Amino acid sequence: MESEISPVFVALPIPKQGLLAYMPPQGMDQLEPGMRVLVPVGLRRRMIGVVWDPPEKRDPQDLDIELKEVSSVLDEAPIISREYRRFLQAVSWYYFYPVGMTLEEALPNLLLSSRSSSIEKILNTRKKTRVRFQIPPSAPCRPKSLTQEQISVLSVLKKRISGNLFSPVVLHGVTGSGKTEVYIRAAESALALGKTALILVPEIALASQLVAWFYNAFGDLVGLWHSKITGPQKLKTWQDIRDGKIRIIVGVRSAIFAPLDNIGLIVVDEEHDDSFKQDVRLRYSARDLALLLGKLQNATVVLGSATPSLTTYEKVIKGEYELLTMTRRVHDTPLPKVELIDLRTKRKKKEIPRLPWWMSEALYKAIDETLHSNEQLLLFLNRRGFATFVFCSDCGHAFRCPHCEITLTLHKSFGPKGNKELLVCHSCGFNLPALPVCPNCGGQAISSKGIGTERVLAELVQVFPNIRAERFDRDTMGSKKKLINTLEGFRKGDIDALVGTQMITKGHDFPNLSLVGVIWGDQSLHYPSFNASEKTFQLLTQVAGRAGRRGKRGRVIIQSFCPEHYSIVYACEHDYESFLREERNKRVGHFYPPFGHLINLIFSGKLEEHVKKISFEAQQIAMRILPKIQKRYTKAVEILGPSPGIRPKVKDLFVWNLLLKSQSRKAVRSLAEGLLNKLSTVPKRGVRIEIDCDPTGLG
DNA sequence: AGCACGCCGACT
DNA sequence: GTCGGCGTGCTC
Ligand SMILES: [Zn+2]
Ligand SMILES: [Zn+2]
């Protein structure tokens, strides 16, 4: 066996762990890691992959197989730097996800799709249009002077950025304390040092608005990165970043993969937000990856939030992260007055006027007063549609999704024109026209239960016929234009009230809002997850923080079926510390995060029998190898389940979970690794196995 | 993810 | 007898 010519190792976007080895092409010894190559895969396929750093140890039996030859080399020089490869390698390792597929997740699609060859060619065929980002005209101006708190926070951040060391910082600042301005000026100082900056926010709509502020300050040095930017446009941004033309990126979760070099500052704004966790394929947390990247790049990482997650705050308590606080709102707007209303209270028989059940008398009065004084209000309910449960009152037939088995939600004004009456599955999107006839018995007594934003808006208008109200959710704010227009209209005072979902709570600035009504404050509390209380506290704090205008105290009404729950009580009192104390006490005994580490194995397939069988088999294997693991690690590892998923069926696939938990991350990872190893040899029978490290919404 | 192989029902 | 349906497994 001649082994003078050493093979190259290629990362390919196939669901196989590790790299594939190839012979370099004839007379091509300048092949370096980071260059793209075209290689034969299987019997008749050619794929684009990236030459990777050779593994330290190679499986000896690998050497037996005859290696195929690289078909062609696509780049003259590496397009993936050593630092970036190290980052992706670490991501791949942590999430048990193949390197090649991690690469696919990170790179612009065009770079690995087989049609493309040279980057220049792709970009040259595209007509050049200059990107501009515009701030909506009625948005408040950037402040000329800073508050005392902003000044002191900035001075620390500047020190950390110029220190050239990994510096994790938690910026605990109440809503409206002026964090955005701090981010802009911190980015400025990173730039002044020749470094770059990465700003992450939870939603595309927020990124699109925030980028305009940065654009005004830094011009073409700023780029926008999110999943709706695709094709040549994404590639252009990617290339401009690598060329150093773009040095600040504003984006969402996926922007963590923007190929910035020499990063001085990474901001994760609203770090507690679930949107930073991807829940398909590579299930990464952009917040956790920001910390990893910060470590590799010796950057300052700012985790900003009015309600830092327990996971983040635990690091503050341990002294691993630095804590900076901003307790005062700009213009000294006081925190809103929050009233808690018990929805279980019996209603008066003769209410005048007759109110819908979700509108308590207190809320009614508050809305009335707000409208009378020409002020604005916002109603929050985290559910789209008109009714969540539609059934036939003759035979009891309930309308369910044939693919997910959950009940269909009635939408009375669906579609871009808002003129379609549909039953929609909120899990997979399946829908059918809402006809007034029962498909089971032919009867016409179709009824519905459960509220959504559509119904709240409709009944709000019934009670207040002159109100100018609009809905603000994914259904109505599908396009960027519509969203901007509505926000504009509300800021200008053309709209009195907004009825919205989660969308309404994130970041948007409402300068004249005097009343916030939370329709169902304990809704998120019923989600079967170890962090349901935390999510509830965060959501309520965030939505309440919208209320209040310059110098004038806002008012918040939270309606709830369990107003005595600590997450709701402390949210009303703006008491983060007390909530934290109680929630930590709840979790510490069960070793839930941050006191323990979770890895979830997700089994899914078309035949429930097979899914169930494989997940039980996995549990058996885990039990068998557990003693070996416990010899190496003193901390216990628990195997929980298998059990049906929170959504037991999605798009015709049955889902089961096997949850691994331990106080020691190493121990739980070690068990997961061993288990996956053993599972790789058992026949899958159409069952897919996915790994979710640090799952949210489980337990 | 593709793509091939293979094992069973229905069609020349 | 073969054609093609999808269920299953592999890719250096
Ligand atoms: Zn019926
Ligand atoms: Zn469905």
Side-chain angles (χ1 to χ4, degrees):
Chain A
M1 191 159 288
E2 65 242 276
S3 55
E4 302 93 55
I5 311 167
S6 51
V8 289
F9 296 89
V10 179
L12 286 160
I14 54 174
K16 185 184 183 306
Q17 214 57 244
L19 307 165
L20 299 191
Y22 289 88
M23 295 311 288
Q26 301 286 308
M28 279 288 248
D29 33 22
Q30 76 277 39
L31 210 48
E32 288 174 54
M35 290 160 97
R36 287 177 309 148
V37 287
L38 190 67
V39 292
V41 179
L43 291 174
R44 53 171 61 238
R45 231 180 0 149
R46 270 166 203 281
M47 294 182 84
I48 298 177
V50 173
V51 178
W52 213 252
D53 309 84
E56 276 167 20
K57 58 174 186 324
R58 232 184 124 199
D59 206 335
Q61 63 186 4
D62 274 6
L63 298 167
D64 291 345
I65 48 172
E66 179 99 7
L67 298 187
K68 292 182 184 174
E69 193 179 294
V70 170
S71 307
S72 63
V73 182
L74 301 181
D75 301 305
E76 286 170 10
I79 62 160
I80 315 275
S81 70
R82 218 178 78 85
E83 290 73 34
Y84 197 81
R85 292 200 303 276
R86 273 185 62 198
F87 175 51
L88 291 189
Q89 186 72 51
V91 175
S92 160
W93 173 83
Y94 185 77
Y95 290 105
F96 299 96
Y97 202 72
V99 217
M101 289 185 74
T102 306
L103 198 56
E104 190 186 30
E105 194 77 42
L107 292 184
N109 276 310
L110 284 175
L111 286 174
L112 294 179
S113 68
S114 42
R115 290 185 300 108
S116 72
S117 48
S118 93
I119 299 172
E120 288 72 24
K121 225 180 249 171
I122 306 165
L123 289 177
N124 283 340
T125 55
R126 180 179 160 270
K127 55 177 191 284
K128 291 188 176 89
T129 46
R130 202 155 153 261
V131 207
R132 280 171 180 278
F133 306 107
Q134 290 221 333
I135 295 176
S138 75
C141 297
R142 266 185 76 186
K144 289 185 192 75
S145 63
L146 298 179
T147 65
Q148 208 36 249
E149 286 182 333
Q150 284 175 318
I151 291 168
S152 61
V153 165
L154 257 171
S155 85
V156 175
L157 291 184
K158 283 180 181 172
K159 231 177 277 165
R160 298 294 170 266
I161 293 166
S162 60
N164 295 322
L165 289 172
F166 170 52
S167 312
V169 177
V170 175
L171 180 52
H172 185 184
V174 295
T175 316
S177 56
K179 291 195 289 269
T180 304
E181 187 59 26
V182 171
Y183 300 154
I184 293 175
R185 300 208 184 197
E188 192 175 25
S189 70
L191 241 59
L193 290 163
K195 293 164 180 274
T196 63
L198 175 58
I199 318 292
L200 305 182
V201 294
E203 280 186 358
I204 292 178
L206 288 175
S208 306
Q209 290 184 56
L210 185 62
V211 76
W213 292 100
F214 278 85
Y215 182 76
N216 270 21
F218 306 105
D220 291 333
L221 289 174
V222 179
L224 177 63
W225 186 292
H226 58 66
S227 59
K228 292 279 159 62
I229 295 173
T230 54
Q233 210 186 343
K234 181 57 111 2
L235 185 60
K236 175 76 163 54
T237 306
W238 185 85
Q239 184 74 305
D240 284 350
I241 297 169
R242 295 182 56 250
D243 288 347
K245 289 183 198 153
I246 290 177
R247 303 185 54 211
I248 297 176
I249 279 290
V250 177
V252 297
R253 183 175 65 216
S254 60
I256 193 66
F257 293 120
L260 291 162
D261 188 31
N262 192 15
I263 303 176
L265 172 74
I266 306 176
V267 172
V268 184
D269 192 31
E270 310 293 357
E271 69 78 32
H272 64 275
D273 200 292
D274 276 346
S275 319
F276 289 118
K277 181 83 159 69
Q278 175 150 292
D279 59 2
V280 287
R281 305 188 300 266
L282 174 60
R283 295 170 185 261
Y284 65 98
S285 154
R287 183 242 285 148
D288 296 349
L289 292 191
L291 291 155
L292 169 66
L293 187 58
K295 216 174 279 177
L296 293 173
Q297 296 263 331
N298 292 320
T300 296
V301 180
V302 177
L303 305 179
S305 176
T307 52
S309 62
L310 258 75
T311 304
T312 293
Y313 213 85
E314 201 59 25
K315 302 276 192 179
V316 172
I317 293 172
K318 283 187 182 162
E320 292 174 35
Y321 297 174
E322 182 174 7
L323 177 68
L324 302 176
T325 50
M326 290 167 67
T327 54
R328 304 182 72 157
R329 295 169 118 188
V330 181
H331 313 303
D332 270 328
T333 308
L335 283 169
K337 175 171 168 256
V338 186
E339 297 155 62
L340 193 46
I341 304 297
D342 191 340
L343 281 175
R344 293 167 304 192
T345 313
K346 278 244 169 58
R347 306 284 283 266
K348 288 178 202 148
K349 274 272 155 59
K350 283 187 184 164
E351 264 173 346
I352 304 166
R354 252 195 115 72
L355 301 178
W357 70 262
W358 55 264
M359 192 189 287
S360 63
E361 215 174 313
L363 182 57
Y364 167 76
K365 280 185 183 149
I367 295 173
D368 197 44
E369 282 163 27
T370 305
L371 293 175
H372 266 102
S373 46
N374 278 321
E375 294 179 332
Q376 292 180 304
L377 67 115
L378 183 156
L379 297 183
F380 169 71
L381 174 65
N382 202 14
R383 198 150 66 186
R384 297 177 291 127
F386 192 88
T388 48
F389 183 63
V390 183
F391 61 101
C392 166
S393 25
D394 285 345
C395 74
H397 172 264
F399 290 79
R400 286 175 185 279
C401 175
H403 308 291
C404 309
E405 288 174 10
I406 60 168
T407 60
L408 296 170
T409 299
L410 173 63
H411 287 248
K412 285 202 172 180
S413 45
F414 204 67
K417 287 181 187 154
N419 56 356
K420 281 191 183 147
E421 213 171 308
L422 292 179
L423 296 172
V424 183
C425 172
H426 279 187
S427 185
C428 76
F430 169 89
N431 59 75
L432 40 90
L435 301 172
V437 185
C438 171
N440 190 41
C441 72
Q444 300 203 1
I446 305 294
S447 309
S448 65
K449 284 205 166 103
I451 51 168
T453 45
E454 278 190 26
R455 183 164 162 192
V456 168
L457 178 65
E459 295 179 346
L460 175 68
V461 174
Q462 271 173 28
V463 179
F464 300 99
N466 294 323
I467 197 170
R468 295 168 301 171
E470 284 205 35
R471 194 146 54 86
F472 195 96
D473 55 28
R474 206 172 66 205
D475 298 336
T476 55
M477 297 301 133
S479 76
K480 192 178 153 188
K481 218 185 222 157
K482 189 90 211 305
L483 187 131
I484 300 267
N485 284 344
T486 306
L487 288 176
E488 275 295 280
F490 197 59
R491 283 188 193 130
K492 279 195 299 199
D494 299 341
I495 300 169
D496 302 317
L498 289 179
V499 177
T501 56
Q502 191 103 24
M503 249 189 131
I504 220 168
T505 67
K506 293 189 186 175
H508 304 296
D509 199 35
F510 303 119
N512 298 311
L513 190 60
S514 56
L515 172 69
V516 167
V518 178
I519 304 295
W520 183 15
D522 52 305
Q523 184 185 12
S524 52
L525 210 50
H526 310 295
Y527 193 70
S529 169
F530 71 89
N531 64 356
S533 301
E534 183 183 7
K535 288 294 140 204
T536 303
F537 179 82
Q538 287 163 346
L539 196 59
L540 293 179
T541 304
Q542 198 157 13
V543 68
R546 305 285 123 211
R549 43 206 281 214
R550 191 181 278 235
K552 197 185 166 206
R553 195 173 188 203
R555 188 174 171 194
V556 177
I557 291 186
I558 296 178
Q559 305 185 135
S560 172
F561 289 104
C562 38
E564 62 284 338
H565 193 276
Y566 65 98
S567 63
I568 297 177
V569 172
Y570 290 135
C572 289
E573 293 167 359
H574 313 290
D575 190 350
Y576 179 79
E577 303 293 323
S578 299
F579 172 77
L580 188 76
R581 196 179 322 116
E582 189 142 354
E583 185 67 9
R584 286 181 81 233
N585 283 339
K586 287 252 151 54
R587 294 200 201 168
V588 69
H590 303 283
F591 301 123
Y592 276 123
F595 307 104
H597 303 277
L598 301 174
I599 294 179
N600 188 31
L601 277 79
I602 306 161
F603 302 84
S604 63
K606 281 192 179 160
L607 297 172
E608 186 168 29
E609 285 315 299
H610 289 178
V611 176
K612 222 171 140 175
K613 213 181 142 211
I614 303 268
S615 55
F616 273 98
E617 209 171 324
Q619 184 231 29
Q620 291 300 308
I621 297 170
M623 300 279 266
R624 223 177 314 130
I625 58 178
L626 185 58
K628 234 188 308 177
I629 306 287
Q630 301 285 224
K631 263 179 209 156
R632 283 193 284 144
Y633 302 96
T634 50
K635 304 284 190 213
V637 185
E638 288 175 73
I639 301 161
L640 307 166
S643 56
I646 292 185
R647 294 187 309 189
K649 190 182 174 190
V650 180
K651 288 188 199 175
D652 293 318
L653 295 176
F654 291 92
V655 182
W656 280 65
N657 290 326
L658 185 68
L659 190 61
L660 311 178
K661 183 173 79 172
S662 174
Q663 227 182 324
S664 152
R665 171 169 274 150
K666 280 186 179 163
V668 73
R669 284 189 61 86
S670 175
L671 178 62
E673 197 189 349
L675 175 55
L676 288 171
N677 241 321
K678 290 272 189 297
L679 278 172
S680 67
T681 58
V682 311
K684 300 296 179 318
R685 320 236 268 139
V687 177
R688 247 172 89 138
I689 305 173
E690 287 166 277
I691 298 97
D692 190 356
C693 294
D694 313 318
T696 54
L698 260 177

